[in-house]
């Protein structure tokens, strides 16, 4: 099975271990993994800020970068959601490009979706005798409908103690441009989120999007919390290797 990585800006620039973990897990299940060097941002920051022409230019580059892929897998429900729900809109005035956008969306998966729903894997052989709480990132859960896949993977980790996160589906306040444009509101939201994480006293906070984890992790570090934020792929690989 051929998998082409859509590795996202935050993972590429700040959290390469997430990408490395994803590659090693996918190879464990026989995937032939490739990485097109021409890929860039998915265009979401420009699109959400109203720069539609600029977002379309970036999205066109992505259509070209992933043209020959069998499956496209990303460590982000947010960036995958952009491809699934907004690329068609960007190219709605061009049937040929709209068809290519639809084709890319049909073969694009967030990491846990691909592992569980395509590869049929729920048990990666991980052993983790620690407490873990899980944050369902908004775009993954609300736009892509990712609900059960991450929990199925976590529930099969031997020795794990999963602690419910109070008000888990509340946004952490990141939202990309939202946290920049409305910093005070974003700051209040992440403070409330970290209050709930503190209530769990978990050893690890796991999620599927590095934007959320970066936002919550910054506030957790500021407070001196012992809870370590980890992307699901990095968590599964760390405790199964």
């Amino acid at each position: 099975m051929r998998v082409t990585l859509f590795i996202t800006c935050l993972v590429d620039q700040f959290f390469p271990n997430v990408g490395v973990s994803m590659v090693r897990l996918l190879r464990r299940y026989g995937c032939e993994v490739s990485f097109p060097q021409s890929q860039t941002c998915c265009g979401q920051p420009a699109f959400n800020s109203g720069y539609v022409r600029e977002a379309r230019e970036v999205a066109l580059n992505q259509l070209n970068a992933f043209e020959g892929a069998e499956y496209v897998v990303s460590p982000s429900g947010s960036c995958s959601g952009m491809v699934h729900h907004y690329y068609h809109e960007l190219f709605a005035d061009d049937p040929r490009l709209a068809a290519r956008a639809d084709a890319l969306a049909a073969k694009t998966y967030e990491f846990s979706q691909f592992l569980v729903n395509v590869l049929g894997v729920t048990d990666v052989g991980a052993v983790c005798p620690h407490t873990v709480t899980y944050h369902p990132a908004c775009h993954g859960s609300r736009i892509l409908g990712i609900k059960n896949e991450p929990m199925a993977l976590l529930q099969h980790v031997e020795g794990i103690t999963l602690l419910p996160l109070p008000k888990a589906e509340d946004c952490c306040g990141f939202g990309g441009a939202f946290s920049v444009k409305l910093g005070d509101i974003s700051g209040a939201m992440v403070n409330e989120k970290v209050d709930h994480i503190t209530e769990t006293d978990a050893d690890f906070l796991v999620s599927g999007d590095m934007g959320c984890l970066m936002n919550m992790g910054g506030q957790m570090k500021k407070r001196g919390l012992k809870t370590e934020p980890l992307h699901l792929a990095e968590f599964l690989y760390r405790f199964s290797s």
Side-chain angles (χ1 to χ4, degrees):
M1 186 177 292
R2 292 183 296 110
V3 170
T4 303
L5 296 180
F6 169 21
I7 213 62
T8 83
C9 303
L10 288 180
V11 170
D12 184 44
Q13 295 297 316
F14 301 113
F15 307 103
N17 283 347
V18 174
V20 171
S21 298
M22 202 168 76
V23 169
R24 289 174 175 169
L25 282 169
L26 291 171
R27 284 179 173 164
R28 184 182 295 173
Y29 297 103
C31 295
E32 178 188 334
V33 182
S34 64
F35 178 87
Q37 295 287 340
S38 59
Q39 67 179 286
T40 56
C41 173
C42 66
Q44 187 173 189
F47 182 76
N48 289 348
S49 299
Y51 293 95
V52 176
R53 182 178 60 80
E54 289 81 358
R56 181 182 161 112
E57 288 179 9
V58 175
L60 179 58
N61 178 74
Q62 297 294 79
L63 295 187
N64 293 331
F66 295 106
E67 183 69 26
E70 180 181 5
Y71 291 99
V72 177
V73 180
S74 170
S76 166
S78 183
C79 301
S80 301
M82 176 69 191
V83 174
H84 272 263
H85 287 271
Y86 300 113
Y87 270 26
H88 183 91
E89 180 179 334
L90 284 173
F91 300 112
D93 63 345
D94 187 324
R96 184 180 59 85
L97 289 177
R100 290 179 63 194
D102 293 344
L104 176 57
K107 62 186 176 184
T108 297
Y109 293 84
E110 180 273 342
F111 168 72
S112 70
Q113 278 185 318
F114 185 76
L115 208 59
V116 174
N117 300 335
V118 179
L119 294 182
V121 174
T122 53
D123 186 350
V124 302
V127 179
C128 175
H130 298 286
T131 54
V132 174
T133 194
Y134 175 73
H135 165 70
C138 297
H139 285 180
S141 60
R142 296 171 189 171
I143 295 180
L144 290 181
I146 300 170
K147 299 287 185 184
N148 300 322
E149 294 87 344
M151 292 308 296
L153 290 161
L154 290 173
Q155 286 165 349
H156 280 86
V157 174
E158 184 180 336
I160 195 171
T161 301
L162 284 171
L163 302 173
L165 179 62
K167 298 185 178 180
E169 294 191 354
D170 283 4
C171 175
C172 72
F174 180 60
F178 172 80
S179 62
V180 176
K181 292 179 177 177
L182 299 166
D184 290 344
I185 297 174
S186 172
M189 292 171 72
V190 75
N191 261 309
E192 185 175 327
K193 193 76 183 180
V194 173
D195 286 344
H196 296 316
I197 295 167
T198 304
E199 289 177 41
T200 70
D201 196 32
D203 297 317
F204 294 95
L205 168 68
V206 173
S207 190
D209 244 298
M210 285 314 304
C212 305
L213 286 167
M214 183 175 68
N215 190 37
M216 295 181 291
Q219 185 60 227
M220 289 158 60
K221 185 177 181 180
K222 188 177 178 182
R223 295 193 193 184
L225 297 190
K226 69 175 182 61
T227 305
E228 181 180 358
L230 276 182
H231 189 281
L232 178 63
E234 192 172 8
F235 175 82
L236 293 174
Y237 180 71
R238 179 189 292 188
F239 288 100
S240 64
S241 56

